[in-house]
Amino acid sequence: MTACAECGFEYDLALAPGVSMLAKGHAREYADLLRAEPSALRQRSSPQVWSPLEYACHMRDVLLVQRERVLAARRRSTPVAESMGRDERVEHDGYAGQDPADVARQLQDAVLLFGDVLDRLSPADWDRTLVYPYPEHTERPLRWVAVHTLHELRHHLLDMSRHLRSHEAG
């Protein structure tokens, strides 16, 4: 992946050392969106599209999973990252029933935890690799993991914003 056709994100690996700081700003944007009307946060535009609350829960979990993947790559040589089960988590963790204020706080904590491990990477650590499961099992450096996580944060902010705007307009 070098760019996202839907949101326009460019995978510039030179961004990696700044992802921690950028992610903190995005966490504040998520918290702002999670202050919307709870019914709007829980509503899906279609059965196949997550609600804004479900996207926020997903991002919280992505940040925690990515943190563990980075830590694993620092401990072992080219570990294989397991799929996080993103679709199953929506039901298994009850995303739709979670409290938006709790999710906002948890997401901010997850950003801090993820950012902390990124901030501790040495120049050589950024080139450590793991086998990443998405979009197919491929060996990726930690700088790609960081930039991919930034893409996820930005992309799902867009998903949430679009949904909430359409809910307001409807």
Side-chain angles (χ1 to χ4, degrees), residues 93-107:
D93 197 27
Y95 283 2
Q98 295 187 25
D99 179 86
D102 290 344
V103 174
R105 187 185 67 255
Q106 293 161 358
L107 198 144

Side-chain angles (χ1 to χ4, degrees), residues 52-80:
L53 179 58
E54 289 167 330
Y55 278 119
C57 290
H58 168 68
M59 270 319 308
R60 173 203 57 210
D61 290 354
V62 164
L63 289 159
L64 295 172
V65 168
Q66 296 294 68
R67 175 182 185 265
E68 291 305 314
R69 289 171 173 168
V70 170
L71 289 169
R74 290 194 69 195
R75 288 190 312 272
R76 295 188 306 276
S77 180
T78 315
V80 176

Side-chain angles (χ1 to χ4, degrees), residues 6 9 11 49 51 61 75 86 105 117 120 136 138 169:
E6 186 178 347
F9 184 85
Y11 275 69
V49 177
S51 70
D61 290 354
R75 288 190 312 272
R86 64 182 228 148
R105 187 185 67 255
V117 299
R120 294 174 183 280
E136 58 195 35
T138 306

